[in-house]
Structures are given as structure tokens and as C-alpha cells.
């Protein structure tokens, strides 16, 4: 069962070094990109380079999470 976005809390850690062990980037499919970005903004995370559309299939953006992790968010565009 999905966790409601309003129940998600950010957990900050030190930045992951590019040559260090650990996760450096992650991608999520979201039902509502604008709502996901509102939650991210409450934690100080904002889109880097804006929001784009890929091949009229997805709306997507990326941002840096609290610990420097690159997070990609994608919303599938549906026909009517």
C-alpha cells in the first residue's frame, strides 16, 4: 500500500561522495508530480533545471535530496 505523501519525512545525512559506497541517485514514478514537488519543497528540495516533458509520455524533473542524493521524479502522462 502506498504511503501518503503528506506522511513522508525527510531524513538528512552527510553527502554521499561520488567515489564512496552508497546510493547516488534514485528515480520514482509519482501519480501527481506537482504534489510531490510541494512535499519536496517543504523539505527545502526544489527542481534543478525545471520540469520537462519526455516524448509526450512523461513529465519529469530531478532534484537533490537532503543528503545530496539525486532524485528523479516522473509522472506518466495519460490520454484524456
Amino acid at each position: 500500500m502506498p504511503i501518503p505523501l503528506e506522511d513522508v519525512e525527510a531524513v538528512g545525512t552527510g553527502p554521499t561522495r561520488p567515489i564512496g559506497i552508497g546510493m547516488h541517485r534514485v528515480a520514482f514514478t509519482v501519480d501527481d508530480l506537482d504534489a510531490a514537488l510541494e512535499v519536496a519543497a517543504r523539505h527545502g528540495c526544489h527542481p534543478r533545471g525545471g520540469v520537462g516533458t519526455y516524448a509526450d509520455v512523461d513529465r519529469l524533473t530531478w532534484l537533490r535530496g537532503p543528503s545530496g542524493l539525486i532524485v528523479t521524479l516522473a509522472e506518466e502522462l495519460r490520454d484524456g
Side-chain angles (χ1 to χ4, degrees), residues 52-74:
T53 302
Y54 175 74
D56 294 328
V57 175
D58 293 308
R59 267 182 86 216
L60 50 96
T61 191
W62 70 275
L63 46 90
R64 286 209 181 263
S67 61
L69 181 76
I70 298 170
V71 178
T72 300
L73 301 174

Side-chain angles (χ1 to χ4, degrees), residues 16-42:
T16 302
R17 295 172 39 120
I19 60 171
I21 296 174
M23 190 174 357
H24 301 278
R25 54 189 72 74
V26 64
F28 295 99
T29 299
V30 296
D31 293 328
D32 184 339
L33 182 58
D34 295 321
L37 289 174
E38 287 177 18
V39 172
R42 289 198 302 260

